[in-house]
Amino acid sequence: MVIVNRTTGDRCAVAFKEAGMFSASNDAVECRLFRGRDSRTVERVLRGSWSGQLSYEQSPTRAEPIWTAVALPPDAASFYNFGYFTMRLNELVPATQDDLPSTDTRFRPDQRAYEEGRIDDAERLKTELEEAQRARKRDRDAAGTEWAPLWFVEADDPDSPDGRAWSYKGGYWDARAHHAFPQTVDLWHS
């Protein structure tokens, strides 16, 4: 994977290493940083594991840790070994709930049911949501209309493998600040 700074051309080649004959680790990562779009000179090397620690390799014999993973919660095994941050990603916080568009996935009733341990309800709700989505697609096809994303547009992108990529077209943060999200399809009710 290559990450490119489109302003400076700097890039980072990231390699996720597979476990091999001499290493049981399957979470190793190596990052090689290059200055400028055409540079072939490695400026920095970061090595470590995506689940443990990442270090800046200052020389072949000296490395400085720049990131260390936070210890997992005591009950992580009951939550797919998620850390605190991941466990909270889908949390609906009352202080910001009114700032979110109705399409935010934190409002999905099937996810909420699953998180609350109501597995049968979650499966039923997910099926209903998927059927409603298929019905909306059939209606659009019958009317000859294309789905148009609200906040993104597909455009030419020379850095993308297929020459196209989705780019943010603006508007979301302004709409959020003014509590003025456009009315859209009710995604979470069948």
Side-chain angles (χ1 to χ4, degrees), residues 12-17 28-32 45-48 54 57:
C12 178
V14 182
F16 296 94
K17 309 280 188 167
V29 62
E30 179 180 277
C31 308
R32 295 183 173 273
V45 176
L46 307 177
R47 279 196 177 91
L54 196 59
E57 191 175 272

Side-chain angles (χ1 to χ4, degrees), residues 5-189:
N5 179 326
R6 292 180 182 218
T7 303
T8 65
D10 294 352
R11 66 193 189 287
C12 178
V14 182
F16 296 94
K17 309 280 188 167
E18 293 183 26
M21 185 182 303
F22 301 107
S23 171
S25 174
N26 64 353
D27 62 352
V29 62
E30 179 180 277
C31 308
R32 295 183 173 273
L33 298 119
F34 301 86
R35 295 271 184 225
R37 185 170 301 277
D38 299 320
S39 174
R40 296 193 187 283
T41 304
V42 176
E43 294 283 331
R44 302 271 191 281
V45 176
L46 307 177
R47 279 196 177 91
S49 70
W50 53 261
S51 64
Q53 180 174 288
L54 196 59
S55 296
Y56 162 45
E57 191 175 272
Q58 297 169 337
S59 74
T61 60
R62 189 166 158 240
E64 176 185 342
I66 60 170
W67 172 81
T68 302
V70 176
L72 292 175
D75 57 349
S78 299
F79 297 94
Y80 308 100
N81 284 319
F82 286 171
Y84 291 107
F85 174 76
T86 311
M87 285 183 184
R88 290 190 206 118
L89 282 175
N90 204 43
E91 185 176 1
L92 267 173
V93 179
T96 60
Q97 190 168 339
D98 293 338
D99 296 335
L100 301 173
S102 63
T103 54
D104 192 292
T105 59
R106 287 172 279 190
F107 293 119
R108 281 184 64 146
D110 60 324
Q111 286 186 16
R112 189 66 49 218
Y114 190 73
E115 289 176 354
E116 293 169 355
R118 297 181 290 118
I119 307 304
D120 291 340
D121 287 343
E123 290 177 6
R124 178 185 52 77
L125 289 164
K126 183 176 185 292
T127 299
E128 289 173 5
L129 291 174
E130 289 171 345
E131 287 302 322
Q133 182 181 27
R134 288 184 192 101
R136 288 191 300 272
K137 169 85 167 92
R138 284 190 298 272
D139 291 347
R140 278 195 312 275
D141 289 349
T145 58
E146 290 283 325
W147 176 257
L150 198 54
W151 312 114
F152 295 89
V153 63
E154 190 176 21
D156 291 334
D157 180 357
D159 296 315
S160 177
D162 65 357
R164 305 280 293 165
W166 290 94
S167 297
Y168 175 60
K169 64 181 181 182
Y172 174 86
W173 295 107
D174 188 50
R176 181 172 171 161
H178 295 95
H179 301 279
F181 288 109
Q183 293 297 317
T184 62
V185 175
D186 185 1
L187 296 179
W188 311 134
H189 299 94

